[in-house]
Amino acid sequence: MARPTPELIDALRRTARNLKNGAPYQWGHMGGCNCGNLAQELTKLSKDQIHQYAMQRYGDWNEQVDDYCSTSQMSIDIVINEMLNAGLMLEDIKHLEKLDDRQVLVRFPLEKRFLKHNVRDDVVVYMNEWANLLEEQLLAKITLPNFQALERAEFEAV
């Protein structure tokens, strides 16, 4: 599962909002599909640029991830590297394209877990729920100081 970073959480929510508001969506287009739309947010590249980079090598996002090389200077590998730097793992990219990460799906009621990977509305709810999950994980890592104990200690020291 992805590292919960503010950048990734925000990008997931922006992508979902853009899709909900009518951003171009075409599952068979490497720059306009589930991963392509998120890649646009994370890299600030256009859908056409992402698609062009992906077409320099064969395959869909799953195959691109399988062939990913962190030291390559291929354009699509640079795009994937930026996605990974935002907190994604390679498996997350594959799961996003198919909307099939179990940790995300289990958060939906049973009757709502059967999302279609190429339906815009399903992509929107999946991304929003994934962002919620990552935000919960991020917040769980934050511990605030016990201010009451600090105040007591300061008072007793006086």
Side-chain angles (χ1 to χ4, degrees), residues 77-137:
D77 286 339
I78 293 170
V79 169
I80 292 171
N81 200 46
E82 285 190 52
M83 296 172 79
L84 299 178
N85 287 338
L88 290 171
M89 305 297 220
L90 290 173
E91 314 85 61
D92 295 318
I93 296 171
K94 291 181 174 192
H95 287 307
L96 176 57
E97 199 58 17
K98 297 290 186 178
L99 304 182
D100 66 359
D101 188 301
R102 294 179 78 154
Q103 291 182 59
V104 176
L105 294 175
V106 73
R107 297 170 60 89
F108 292 105
L110 188 58
E111 67 275 6
K112 304 253 184 190
R113 290 184 191 169
F114 302 99
L115 303 176
K116 291 188 169 67
H117 64 275
N118 59 352
V119 173
R120 176 192 300 264
D121 291 341
D122 287 354
V123 177
V124 169
V125 297
Y126 183 93
M127 284 190 178
N128 278 322
E129 195 55 43
W130 189 14
N132 292 340
L133 171 63
L134 292 173
E135 183 176 57
E136 289 169 14
Q137 291 174 348

Side-chain angles (χ1 to χ4, degrees), residues 19-54:
L19 288 169
K20 184 176 183 177
N21 292 333
Y25 178 76
Q26 183 182 354
W27 193 77
H29 187 281
M30 292 290 293
C33 59
N34 307 353
C35 292
N37 272 281
L38 181 58
Q40 288 178 54
E41 283 299 315
L42 290 172
T43 65
K44 304 305 178 204
L45 296 170
S46 72
K47 71 181 185 76
D48 292 331
Q49 287 172 304
I50 294 167
H51 185 77
Q52 179 185 5
Y53 295 163

